[in-house]
Structure formats: structure tokens, C-alpha cells
Amino acid sequence: MTAHVYATAVEAAEGLAVALIEDIRRRPDLVLALPTGATPLPLYAALRRAAHEGPDLMVHLRTFNLDEFVGVPADDTASYRSYMNRELFHAAHLSARQIGFLDGCAEDLDEECRRYDQRIAQAGGIDVAVLGLGRNGHIGFNEPAEMLHAHTHVAVLDESTRLANARWFGDAVSRAPRQALSMGVGIMLGARRIMLLATGAAKAQAVAQLRSGVVTTRVPASLLQCHPDVTLWLDEDAARF
Ligand code: F6R
């Protein structure tokens, strides 16, 4: 596992953006897994700038986001789909055909998860999985547990995760969803390359656990140590232990 450490969170995100853009230039039809959250905001800002400078850069990409809240319609401003529309999809002119997204309002959520994994398989699997990191070591919404799901599934969110998510719901924890659909760890580990972005002191402990040499489902990100091609982009605060 390689780690690049930068002085600031923005520099770390921009460092990841440079590496990702290089990958896209080499293989314009890459299949990406993408995260949401506060951490990747400067990454998406850098990708928007790159799309503006090279309008053809992303026309052949395929994307699959890691997760979506259950019960939040795609057109709700708090949905991850709306986040991605705002932060990347619209500015980079990604067409509906290029975008894979979980529907947290699907009538049959288990069927929706199966459909998602099938679409990923039909796309040839994930080439590059870009991941964030929860304070508790979650990746996507694979929360610490005795057992983890290999495939996309309905995930019950930890209270600490709901607390962190409250910011998308008017700072009201009571409105933060209790469930999400999440790509499973097996699909993530099936990616050819994994790039993880973690910034801020609140992530330092999870980063240390993810590099500890011990693999445990109690720190889902620690499973990444079993993957042969993982690179971390960190700021000094996240890398301090
Ligand atoms: C969201 C996702 C989550 C976040 C994590 C960190 O799509 O995959 O695992 O990456 O909750 O969120 P932030 O960046 O808001 O601290």
C-alpha cells in the first residue's frame, strides 16, 4: 500500500485528481467507482476544471457510485445522486448512459442491489475504485460488524455515521436516514486499482488502523490491505499516527 501525504486536504485531493486524470487519459473508457461526502469536494472541483479544459476527457467513462440513502428520492437535494449531479455529472456532461447509480427509493431494494452488481459485471467490473473513509473505518457504507457483505446490499448506518450525515439533512440527526444501499466490499476489492482519499484529524485513527497490518471486519477499510494495488492520498492530519 502506497501513501502520498500532503500538507493540506485540498492538495491531497488535487494529487489524487492528477493521478486519476492520468489514468483516464491512458484509458478513456475506464469504469470508476466514486464516493460522495465532504472529503472529495476538492477532488470533484479539480475534475470539473479538467473537464472544462478538455471537454472530451470524460465522454467514454462509466461511473458507479458507492452508495445512496434509502428513502431519499434522487431529485432530493440531500440525495447522493443530487450531490454527484452538482459536483461532477452536469459540469462534466456525463450522459445517463455513463452513470450507474443506486435507487434508494426502489420498490424492491434487494432486487435493486442485484441489478446494480449485474450492471457492474456487464461493464467488466470496476477499473478504479475511488474511496473515502469513515471515522469508524467504513468504506462505502460497509460499517464495522462481525460480518461484511461482499455484494451490494441494504446497509444499516451506525449512529456515528448518521451524526456525520446530518449535515446533508439540515443538521438534523433525526432526519438522517437509518439505511443506505452500499456497494459491498467484494465488489470494491474486485477493482483493479483502489485510490483512497482521507483528510483531517478525525480520520487519523481509521487511517492508522487501515495500515496496521491487521485485517478485521471491525475496521472495514483494513480489508484493503489484502488488495495488491491500493494508494492512499492523505493530508498530514490524517497521516499523523
Ligand atoms: C460516501 C462514502 C463514505 C464516505 C465516508 C467519509 O459515498 O463512500 O464512505 O466516504 O463516510 O465521508 P466524509 O468525506 O464526508 O468524511
Side-chain angles (χ1 to χ4, degrees), residues 34-40 65-68 80 130-136 138-142 161 164-165 167-168 182 188 197 199 203:
L34 294 176
T36 51
T39 314
N65 265 78
L66 298 175
D67 35 32
E68 178 59 285
Y80 278 162
V130 182
L131 305 180
L133 179 65
R135 291 168 187 221
N136 63 1
H138 72 218
I139 43 176
F141 280 133
N142 296 277
T161 303
N165 290 341
R167 73 196 117 154
W168 312 114
S182 176
M188 294 179 190
L197 179 64
T199 57
K203 303 291 173 70

Side-chain angles (χ1 to χ4, degrees), residues 101-103 111-120:
F101 227 98
L102 284 155
D103 177 1
E111 180 53 34
E112 172 65 6
C113 292
R114 273 194 295 277
R115 180 199 67 85
Y116 204 57
D117 285 350
Q118 272 167 11
R119 275 193 73 184
I120 293 172

Side-chain angles (χ1 to χ4, degrees), residues 64-86:
F64 289 93
N65 265 78
L66 298 175
D67 35 32
E68 178 59 285
F69 295 120
V70 166
V72 179
D75 60 3
D76 188 306
T77 52
S79 74
Y80 278 162
R81 179 59 196 253
S82 290
Y83 168 107
M84 288 304 298
N85 286 345
R86 280 191 305 272

